[in-house]
Amino acid sequence: LEYVLNRGFTSMYIWSCPPSQGEDYILYCHPQRQKTPKPDKLREWYLTMLRKACEQRIVHSVTNLYDQLFHRRPNDPPEKLISTKLPYFEGDYFPGAFEDFLKMIEDEENGDAGGANAAAPAGSKKAAGGSKKGKGGGKKKQENDKEVIRRKDAKLIEKLSEVITKKNCDANGRAMSMELKHEFIIVNLFPTCSCCGTYVEGTSYVCPPCGTKEEYRLCGACNAIIATSSGDSRKLPEGVVLSEMVQEDVGKHGDTKDPDPPGEPSEFFDTRQNFLSLCQGNHYQFDTLRRAKHSSMMVLYHMHNPQAPGFAATCNVCGIEMQADARAYRCDECSDYDVCEACRRSPNFKHEHPLRPTGAAVGSATQEDRERVERMQQLHRTMQLLVHASACSDRHCPSTNCMKVKALFQHGLTCPTKVAGGCMLCRRMWNLLQIHAKGCRTPNCPVPRCRDLKEYRRRAAQVQEDRRRQAWMQMHRQQGMQPQGMQQPQQQGMQHTAAYGGAPPPPPPPPPPSRRG
């Protein structure tokens, strides 16, 4: 948190979402004694850590998303409640929730429009869209695009507010679980203006808290507007006097630009799932201290050596895992085909293409590294050629490789065998398209099927995150359906935690040992 503060960031967002039982979120293979926390336990762990950060003056205040963004104050500007101000991170709760809510809103609007058309008589001018002033014009004007977006945005905020403030109640109407809004934690590293809600920078004006009154802070712009009384609707609350407010300098926001030079990107650190797949495929476990040290060292190795292979090669004949310096053979014609030394010397081994020796067969690991770099450079040139051939419309292009790639594209369109039938040319082209789509960041890429492949990857990731979000909602519902007798000790523990500043309740003393005599 202190590093984030020094980097110039003003706030941090936390979604308190424990993983499902037996599921790994980031690190692979946790210790056996480590239990999966319940939502309230994980939330209290976060709050305990943040309360300690507040005591050390690293964090200014801690609140939840609803109280800071959804809850309107009298002086809030009209544009405060818009969906673009909500945190939008990949794998978070809100991207999936927004998609579901927008689909519900569109279905409701389409249903209302269909009902209005069905209510009009079949041969009436209203149903046909006509009027006395023109064919299809009518007195009602079409809504502006901005008004449509504003209306959908208001409905989206309303539905999201209903979901995160809803409580699970029993048959008597008593609340059985806490609102979901407490699971979305907002950490303010800088103070916020109590009038406009923006983060204060430089000079601010503070009315210190006294009694039940909370701290009231104004930024320089709001203080100037209220002091000049220029007819603005911003007013001070009762008990706050502008002349009695104390001037305080909160400092400047730093530059969030990373001072370190950008390194070569690695696909294993792009998303959470890629990193977890790297750890699972290489057995980078964190269940013991010794394994955690080794796994951390290997993670740093892959971070600083993005060109190194992420996974060890396996023999396509016997299936054993081959070390990087082991004697092996590779086929340059087939896709990902490696054979170990023992299978290569077997009298029954046959392969249709020549095999190239790798590893210890070529002399040393240094030459293996050079070959790896050459393969990466060749792959990079191939990706550049793929993009060039997709956008090139010159029938007499001087590049001979461009004509070869175009012929490969034409073969993929007319080939009756395809990849499912075992066509090697189609399989090679499909592998190149997948590799390109994995690292492509161009919105309107001219490469064939690039948009479809990126959409497929996005949907696959969205399905995983939707499953995780549904499991989180189901966990809250199950926690709310617990009998009243099972929830009472938990509520007592939460009250004790609030009273003792985050410390868990002391365990009861053990009973004295009994003697048999």
Side-chain angles (χ1 to χ4, degrees):
L1 286 174
E2 188 175 7
Y3 171 76
V4 173
L5 174 65
N6 296 333
R7 282 283 309 275
F9 292 93
T10 57
S11 61
M12 185 179 67
Y13 162 70
I14 300 175
W15 176 27
S16 179
C17 176
S20 302
Q21 189 70 28
E23 179 185 356
D24 295 319
Y25 184 67
I26 295 179
L27 303 181
Y28 172 59
C29 195
H30 293 258
Q32 295 182 356
R33 64 179 183 276
Q34 182 178 356
K35 300 180 180 180
T36 303
K38 298 294 183 182
D40 56 339
K41 296 292 183 182
L42 180 61
R43 181 181 63 252
E44 188 56 37
W45 182 85
Y46 280 126
L47 294 178
T48 302
M49 177 187 63
L50 294 175
R51 280 192 288 264
K52 185 176 181 180
C54 289
E55 295 174 358
Q56 299 179 3
R57 298 186 178 276
I58 299 175
V59 172
H60 181 267
S61 61
V62 179
T63 181
N64 59 72
L65 188 70
Y66 180 82
D67 293 342
Q68 178 152 334
L69 297 180
F70 285 76
H71 183 62
R72 289 185 60 85
R73 291 170 289 191
N75 296 325
D76 287 340
E79 65 273 7
K80 182 173 184 262
L81 280 175
I82 56 178
S83 57
T84 54
K85 290 185 176 293
L86 295 175
Y88 200 91
F89 298 100
E90 183 180 0
D92 191 42
Y93 172 82
F94 292 104
F98 284 169
E99 296 289 338
D100 296 341
F101 292 151
L102 287 175
K103 186 177 180 181
M104 293 170 56
I105 293 172
E106 292 178 357
D107 293 342
E108 292 176 359
E109 292 182 352
N110 295 335
D112 295 341
N117 293 333
S124 64
K125 293 182 179 180
K126 184 177 181 180
S131 66
K132 296 181 180 180
K133 294 188 177 182
K135 298 180 179 180
K139 295 182 180 180
K140 184 178 179 180
K141 296 181 180 180
Q142 293 183 352
E143 294 180 327
N144 194 6
D145 293 341
K146 293 183 178 180
E147 296 178 358
V148 174
I149 295 176
R150 190 180 300 111
R151 186 183 71 250
K152 288 186 177 181
D153 192 84
K155 291 183 179 180
L156 178 64
I157 292 295
E158 182 180 358
K159 287 185 175 294
L160 193 60
S161 177
E162 292 176 358
V163 170
I164 66 176
T165 56
K166 183 179 179 181
K167 293 182 179 180
N168 293 324
C169 301
D170 57 7
N172 299 325
R174 294 177 297 182
M176 299 178 61
S177 64
M178 190 175 292
E179 298 174 343
L180 296 181
K181 70 177 185 179
H182 298 284
E183 308 295 340
F184 305 105
I185 305 172
I186 293 292
V187 183
N188 294 319
L189 303 177
F190 281 85
T192 58
C193 178
S194 303
C195 184
C196 63
T198 59
Y199 286 96
V200 179
E201 182 179 10
T203 304
S204 64
Y205 302 86
V206 187
C207 180
C210 58
T212 58
K213 186 180 65 175
E214 298 180 355
E215 176 188 274
Y216 193 84
R217 184 184 297 268
L218 291 176
C219 62
C222 293
N223 180 77
I225 292 175
I226 297 176
T228 55
S229 301
S230 58
D232 193 271
S233 60
R234 309 183 190 187
K235 298 180 181 179
L236 294 176
E238 184 179 357
V240 178
V241 182
L242 188 63
S243 59
E244 296 180 357
M245 300 185 73
V246 180
Q247 184 175 349
E248 181 181 345
D249 187 11
V250 297
K252 296 287 184 179
H253 299 168
D255 187 9
T256 57
K257 184 178 180 180
D258 194 350
D260 297 331
E264 189 174 353
S266 176
E267 62 176 353
F268 298 114
F269 301 95
D270 287 344
T271 61
R272 172 187 67 87
Q273 190 61 40
N274 289 356
F275 178 75
L276 184 59
S277 300
L278 174 69
C279 295
Q280 290 175 343
N282 293 286
H283 302 285
Y284 295 157
Q285 302 180 185
F286 293 85
D287 52 346
T288 63
L289 180 60
R290 179 178 63 85
R291 292 174 177 173
K293 289 181 178 180
H294 170 74
S295 302
S296 302
M297 180 186 64
M298 295 306 300
V299 166
L300 292 175
Y301 170 77
H302 287 291
M303 182 181 297
H304 293 283
N305 299 273
Q307 295 182 351
F311 303 95
T314 57
C315 178
N316 289 61
V317 179
C318 61
I320 65 170
E321 184 176 302
M322 298 180 295
Q323 300 296 329
D325 55 348
R327 185 185 298 270
Y329 299 86
R330 176 171 301 164
C331 178
D332 294 331
E333 299 291 334
C334 301
S335 175
D336 194 16
Y337 189 87
D338 298 275
V339 182
C340 65
E341 176 68 15
C343 295
R344 177 68 177 81
R345 292 186 177 183
S346 176
N348 298 327
F349 174 77
K350 292 181 179 180
H351 191 67
E352 55 184 354
H353 302 134
L355 300 178
R356 176 173 56 86
T358 61
V362 297
S364 63
T366 304
Q367 188 170 352
E368 178 72 15
D369 295 337
R370 287 198 298 267
E371 291 182 357
R372 187 185 304 118
V373 173
E374 291 177 359
R375 288 196 302 269
M376 294 295 296
Q377 294 175 353
Q378 177 65 28
L379 182 61
H380 181 68
R381 290 192 295 266
T382 304
M383 293 297 104
Q384 290 180 341
L385 178 61
L386 191 67
V387 176
H388 165 76
S390 302
C392 179
S393 58
D394 186 5
R395 295 184 178 181
H396 304 284
C397 183
S399 176
T400 57
N401 293 326
C402 177
M403 302 302 296
K404 292 180 180 179
V405 175
K406 289 180 180 179
L408 193 61
F409 287 159
Q410 187 66 26
H411 169 79
L413 294 175
T414 59
C415 179
T417 308
K418 302 295 183 182
V419 179
C423 179
M424 297 304 299
L425 291 178
C426 292
R427 179 176 299 178
R428 181 182 302 177
M429 182 188 67
W430 190 250
N431 291 336
L432 292 177
L433 293 178
Q434 286 181 329
I435 294 174
H436 166 78
K438 185 183 296 184
C440 180
R441 298 295 183 268
T442 306
N444 299 322
C445 182
V447 177
R449 306 300 298 274
C450 178
R451 184 181 303 177
D452 298 337
L453 290 173
K454 288 191 289 188
E455 181 66 18
Y456 175 78
R457 290 170 59 87
R458 188 191 68 83
R459 289 182 179 179
Q462 184 178 357
V463 168
Q464 295 180 354
E465 300 302 336
D466 288 347
R467 191 182 299 115
R468 174 169 166 258
R469 181 163 51 89
Q470 293 172 3
W472 177 68
M473 298 290 291
Q474 182 67 20
M475 189 184 306
H476 272 276
R477 284 193 291 267
Q478 292 178 356
Q479 186 177 1
M481 293 178 183
Q482 290 180 356
Q484 193 70 18
M486 295 179 61
Q487 286 193 356
Q488 188 173 1
Q490 178 184 352
Q491 294 176 359
Q492 292 178 359
M494 292 177 63
Q495 294 175 1
H496 188 282
T497 302
Y500 285 85
S514 59
R515 289 187 177 183
R516 295 182 180 180

